[in-house]
Amino acid sequence: MELAKHYPVSVRFLEEMPFNGGSKTFQKITWDYKKILEHIREAHPDFYKLESPSTSTSINYKIPGHMGTFGVIPSFSRTFCGTCNRLRVSATGDVITCLYAKPSANLRDIMRSENAKSKVEEQILKAVGSRAKTGFEAQEKYRDVFSNSMTSIGG
Ligand code: SF4
């Protein structure tokens, strides 16, 4: 918050997430977005909510007198799945449409083949067309996803 006070930056806080590769017994989180906001409110009771783009993954706020802003990302509570337009392609070509899902396609071999452009387009459209509606639905489908490390999908 001190950074946002003195500089025109947006400081964003992420909820705890069970993606460290060693949280197989993970059940619930302590620092969800409500607790993060309550904690900030103790020191800054007059912050107010800002308008954010519809596909923003953070809920954004401003404290009067601060040069910058702050945001909270409810990545575990998943309050913004309805407007999510994210798509991840890993260094090994895996296509992952949701943080809580397994790869639904792999582009590496396709990219090295003939007519790569149309085949890549086809695979991406297929992956997006079959994506889970929410992170909860994806988690239900891929129950062991928490055994992955967040570093393997880049967040
Ligand atoms: S659909 Fe998945 S990646 Fe998108 S906001 Fe929800 S949990 Fe996050």
Side-chain angles (χ1 to χ4, degrees):
M1 302 319 290
E2 284 297 305
L3 271 176
K5 183 176 182 179
H6 300 291
Y7 300 96
V9 295
S10 175
V11 178
R12 306 205 299 175
F13 299 94
L14 264 164
E15 283 183 336
E16 278 180 279
M17 291 188 78
F19 284 102
N20 63 10
S23 302
K24 294 183 180 63
T25 56
F26 188 96
Q27 293 296 332
K28 63 184 178 112
I29 57 173
T30 304
W31 285 93
D32 64 10
Y33 71 100
K34 289 178 185 161
K35 184 163 179 184
I36 293 169
L37 283 178
E38 278 165 21
H39 187 71
I40 293 170
R41 191 171 281 118
E42 283 173 19
H44 305 283
D46 51 353
F47 69 74
Y48 59 92
K49 198 170 172 182
L50 297 169
E51 284 286 323
S52 299
S54 60
T55 54
S56 173
T57 52
S58 60
I59 307 166
N60 301 298
Y61 302 89
K62 173 101 177 156
I63 295 170
H66 281 204
M67 285 184 76
T69 60
F70 76 92
V72 179
I73 304 176
S75 40
F76 190 73
S77 300
R78 287 160 269 182
T79 61
F80 44 73
C81 294
T83 56
C84 174
N85 62 357
R86 302 308 199 264
L87 182 75
R88 297 155 190 84
V89 181
S90 77
T92 53
D94 282 338
V95 178
I96 304 165
T97 56
C98 174
L99 283 180
Y100 293 86
K102 294 280 191 199
S104 50
N106 187 284
L107 303 180
R108 183 174 54 190
D109 292 341
I110 297 170
M111 288 175 77
R112 293 171 181 171
S113 68
E114 296 286 320
N115 302 320
K117 189 169 182 290
S118 62
K119 287 183 194 163
V120 165
E121 279 176 7
E122 187 186 319
Q123 286 302 311
I124 288 180
L125 287 173
K126 208 166 142 192
V128 172
S130 61
R131 68 191 286 273
K133 287 190 181 65
T134 67
F136 293 103
E137 189 181 305
Q139 184 182 344
E140 190 63 27
K141 199 169 163 190
Y142 305 105
R143 284 180 181 278
D144 62 342
V145 72
F146 289 166
S147 59
N148 283 0
S149 167
M150 181 64 105
T151 55
S152 70
I153 57 174

